[in-house]
Amino acid sequence: MRVLGVDPGLTRCGIGVVEGIAGRPLTMLGVGVVRTPVDADLSLRLLAAEEGIEEWLDEHRPEVVAVERVFSQHNVRTVMGTAQVSAVAMLCAARRGIPVALHTPSEVKAAVTGSGRADKAQVGAMVTRLLRLAAPPKPADAADALALAICHIWRAPAQNRLQQAVALHTVNATKGRTA
Amino acid sequence: MRVLGVDPGLTRCGIGVVEGIAGRPLTMLGVGVVRTPVDADLSLRLLAAEEGIEEWLDEHRPEVVAVERVFSQHNVRTVMGTAQVSAVAMLCAARRGIPVALHTPSEVKAAVTGSGRADKAQVGAMVTRLLRLAAPPKPADAADALALAICHIWRAPAQNRLQQAVALHTVNATKGRTA
């Protein structure tokens, strides 16, 4: 499974591409940051973010895009820009028919470090180890995007089993009603 | 000046198109709502919002898109979806090279009713009067989108004068430095 992780941000949007399946060593295919000019109009910054994300999608053709789920109660000062860049990433994926998965920051931290309250350094250290990199990816947004992609690869089997169970239950319930 | 106003929302996104200049009677060219399916994935809802907004832009070819400025402290439950649909609207405009103007809800209310704390009924009544409509546009999101467009037409001359003054001041300051 090839997953493109997006850690949304208006000034720096982290992007990380990871390939692999749960239980096997993972491979990093790319990592970087999409930046937008701080002094430009918001609409032009969103356009620049779209262009940057489109380039990553063109180059890596992921099967899934994993985006950090943004909460309104955190970082009130920057949350609107973060929510808006996450919308741009979701839109770019949806236009290509690529499924989008959202994971919360604590799900991501728990997946890669074992603790939902791990700090940035711990996440960076685990990403470095899991992807067998020579050094932690910088800036932190890039490491977080890789962590998102890893989190999705590891959680996807459980999510798929859950969806199958729900679908099966729905089918059975429907059968029960029509019998 | 032809302005397309957008009152962003994930379930209902109000759209209103108004033509005119400050100090003259205004004309409504169109009003409606872009809806997205409540039970769909967020990425597909944003895609549906994009398709709806694109249709309005295709049909009316506005010179300016006026979008409500979203604040994170209001309506915490729905603010993320609102911010994300506003991003979609800004992106659609920016891709076409159409300038985007943001106005706060209180600027819009003050422009059309004289009070920044006017209620929805007052805004609807004034929009109906100013555009010489037979009845207030429904739902309220549609009326709010028209109010945004009206607000922009009326505020634009002052904003342009301000921008010109700032530009002139910058030119003069630069001349002063290089003299």
Side-chain angles (χ1 to χ4, degrees):
Chain A
M1 189 196 300
R2 181 177 296 185
V3 180
L4 185 141
V6 179
D7 183 38
L10 202 48
T11 304
R12 285 186 310 275
C13 177
I15 308 274
V17 189
V18 178
E19 193 166 61
I21 57 171
R24 299 276 183 83
L26 303 169
T27 307
M28 183 182 83
L29 300 181
V31 65
V33 167
V34 172
R35 296 175 194 272
T36 75
V38 179
D39 54 350
D41 271 0
L42 179 54
S43 60
L44 299 178
R45 298 186 76 178
L46 295 172
L47 185 63
E50 180 183 53
E51 288 167 356
I53 292 166
E54 289 285 354
E55 282 175 22
W56 280 91
L57 293 173
D58 279 341
E59 186 178 342
H60 291 284
R61 312 245 159 228
E63 290 150 76
V64 175
V65 170
V67 183
E68 187 178 295
R69 190 187 291 278
V70 186
F71 289 105
S72 55
Q73 59 267 40
H74 297 150
N75 309 315
V76 169
R77 206 170 52 83
T78 59
V79 75
M80 305 309 290
T82 304
Q84 291 175 324
V85 173
S86 80
V88 172
M90 285 189 263
L91 195 59
C92 290
R95 273 201 301 255
R96 292 167 184 246
I98 303 173
V100 173
L102 300 175
H103 299 285
T104 67
S106 55
E107 284 169 353
V108 174
K109 289 174 189 174
V112 301
T113 74
S115 163
R117 286 168 298 171
D119 61 18
K120 290 222 171 265
Q122 255 183 292
V123 171
M126 283 306 296
V127 164
T128 309
R129 182 179 306 180
L130 293 166
L131 298 174
R132 289 154 289 129
L133 308 177
K138 287 185 180 170
D141 316 75
D144 285 347
L146 290 171
L148 257 159
I150 296 170
C151 168
H152 183 77
I153 292 170
W154 286 354
R155 286 175 61 97
Q159 287 186 339
N160 290 346
R161 280 197 302 274
L162 184 66
Q163 279 166 8
Q164 281 163 10
V166 170
L168 196 65
H169 178 263
T170 309
V171 168
N172 288 338
T174 311
K175 278 184 187 158
R177 272 204 301 278
T178 56
Chain B
M1 189 197 300
R2 182 177 294 186
V3 180
L4 186 140
V6 179
D7 182 38
L10 202 47
T11 304
R12 286 185 310 275
C13 176
I15 308 273
V17 189
V18 178
E19 194 166 60
I21 56 170
R24 299 277 183 82
L26 303 167
T27 307
M28 182 181 83
L29 300 181
V31 65
V33 167
V34 171
R35 295 174 194 273
T36 75
V38 180
D39 53 351
D41 272 358
L42 179 55
S43 60
L44 299 178
R45 298 186 76 179
L46 295 173
L47 185 62
E50 180 184 52
E51 287 167 357
I53 292 165
E54 289 285 355
E55 282 175 23
W56 279 92
L57 293 172
D58 280 340
E59 186 178 341
H60 290 284
R61 312 247 158 223
E63 289 149 76
V64 176
V65 170
V67 182
E68 187 178 294
R69 190 186 290 277
V70 186
F71 289 103
S72 56
Q73 59 267 42
H74 296 148
N75 310 314
V76 170
R77 205 169 53 82
T78 59
V79 76
M80 304 310 289
T82 304
Q84 291 175 325
V85 172
S86 80
V88 172
M90 284 188 263
L91 194 59
C92 291
R95 273 200 302 254
R96 292 168 185 246
I98 303 172
V100 173
L102 300 175
H103 299 285
T104 66
S106 56
E107 283 169 354
V108 175
K109 290 174 189 174
V112 301
T113 74
S115 162
R117 286 169 298 171
D119 62 18
K120 289 219 171 269
Q122 256 183 291
V123 172
M126 282 307 295
V127 165
T128 309
R129 183 178 307 178
L130 292 166
L131 298 175
R132 291 154 287 129
L133 307 177
K138 287 185 180 170
D141 315 76
D144 286 346
L146 290 171
L148 257 158
I150 296 170
C151 168
H152 183 76
I153 291 170
W154 285 354
R155 286 174 61 96
Q159 286 186 338
N160 290 345
R161 279 197 301 275
L162 185 65
Q163 279 166 7
Q164 281 163 10
V166 169
L168 196 64
H169 179 263
T170 309
V171 168
N172 287 340
T174 311
K175 278 183 188 159
R177 271 203 300 278
T178 55

